[in-house]
Amino acid sequence: QQQVKQSPQSLIVQKGGISIINCAYENTAFDYFPWYQQFPGKGPALLIAIRPDVSEKKEGRFTISFNKSAKQFSLHIMDSQPGDSATYFCAATARGGNKLTFGTGTQLKVEL
Amino acid sequence: GAGVSQSPSNKVTEKGKDVELRCDPISGHTALYWYRQRLGQGLEFLIYFQGNSAPDKSGLPSDRFSAERTGESVSTLTIQRTQQEDSAVYLCASSLDRALYGYTFGSGTRLTVV
C-alpha cells in the first residue's frame, strides 16, 4: 500500500514536444505529491509539488495534473528542451508523514 | 552550509571491508534521511532521523547497515563486511521538519564493492 508506481521507465521526446510521466498510488492517506529531477552525478532536486486540494499546478513549463478519484498524478513538461533530459521521480507522503515514498523513476531524453 | 554535503563522493572498497559514509545536512534541518539508489533504479529508503527522536530504521536491509546522527548535525552510515550487492549510490537528504517540506539531497556517495 506504500508503493508509488511510475511509468514509463524511459521516454524519448523531440525538442518542443510534450513529455508526460505518470504515477499511481494506493495509500489514500497520501496528501503531498512532489516531483524530483535528477541529473547524472547529482542528487534529486525538488521540481514541483501538489496537494490533493487542487487538480493542477503549473510552474513555468512544468505542470502536475492530479486525479484524486483515480489516485493518479502526472507530470507534463511542455516545450521539452534537451536540458530537460534527466531522470524524474514522483513521490508521495501522508499528512504528518516522516518520509517520502518514491516511484522507480523515468529516464527522459529530449532529442534535437 | 548552503547545501547537503556528502563525503566521499566515490568509494571503492574490497568485499568484506567496512565503509563509513558521511552526510553534513543543511544547518537548521532537523530531519535527515539516507536512501540507496542502485544503478538505473529508484530510491530505496534506509533510515530517518528527526531531532532527538528514535530513528526510523525500518529500511535498513540487514544488520550490516547502521547509522548514527548526533543531535541535528552530521550523520554517518556504516556498512560492515561489504558485499557486491551493496554497490550503489548512497544519497543523504535533509528537511526542515518533515517530508512535506521537501527534501534537499546531497550529490551522493558512489560505493563500488570489488
Side-chain angles (χ1 to χ4, degrees), chain A residues 9 32 36 38 41-46 51 89 93-105, chain B residues 31 33 35 37 40-43 45 48 56 58 91 98-108 110:
Chain A
Q9 187 174 10
Y32 173 69
Y36 283 78
Q38 184 180 30
K42 301 292 185 183
L46 179 63
R51 296 190 186 278
F89 293 95
T93 189
R95 185 180 302 273
N98 60 10
K99 60 182 180 282
L100 289 170
T101 298
F102 285 88
T104 49
Chain B
Y33 308 81
Y35 281 79
Q37 185 174 26
Q41 297 189 20
L43 300 168
F45 168 76
Y48 157 70
D56 176 355
S58 60
L91 290 162
R98 296 188 304 276
L100 62 83
Y101 290 100
Y103 293 178
T104 300
F105 280 92
S107 293
R110 180 175 298 279

Side-chain angles (χ1 to χ4, degrees), chain B residues 54-111:
Chain B
D56 176 355
K57 303 180 181 180
S58 60
L60 294 178
S62 77
D63 58 8
R64 296 187 296 104
F65 288 72
S66 63
E68 292 183 350
R69 186 186 187 195
T70 305
E72 296 179 1
S73 62
V74 171
S75 174
T76 55
L77 176 69
T78 301
I79 308 173
Q80 295 179 310
R81 304 181 302 281
T82 52
Q83 304 295 313
Q84 287 186 330
E85 62 263 27
D86 299 334
S87 296
V89 175
Y90 289 83
L91 290 162
C92 175
S94 69
S95 177
L96 191 59
D97 182 4
R98 296 188 304 276
L100 62 83
Y101 290 100
Y103 293 178
T104 300
F105 280 92
S107 293
T109 294
R110 180 175 298 279
L111 175 66

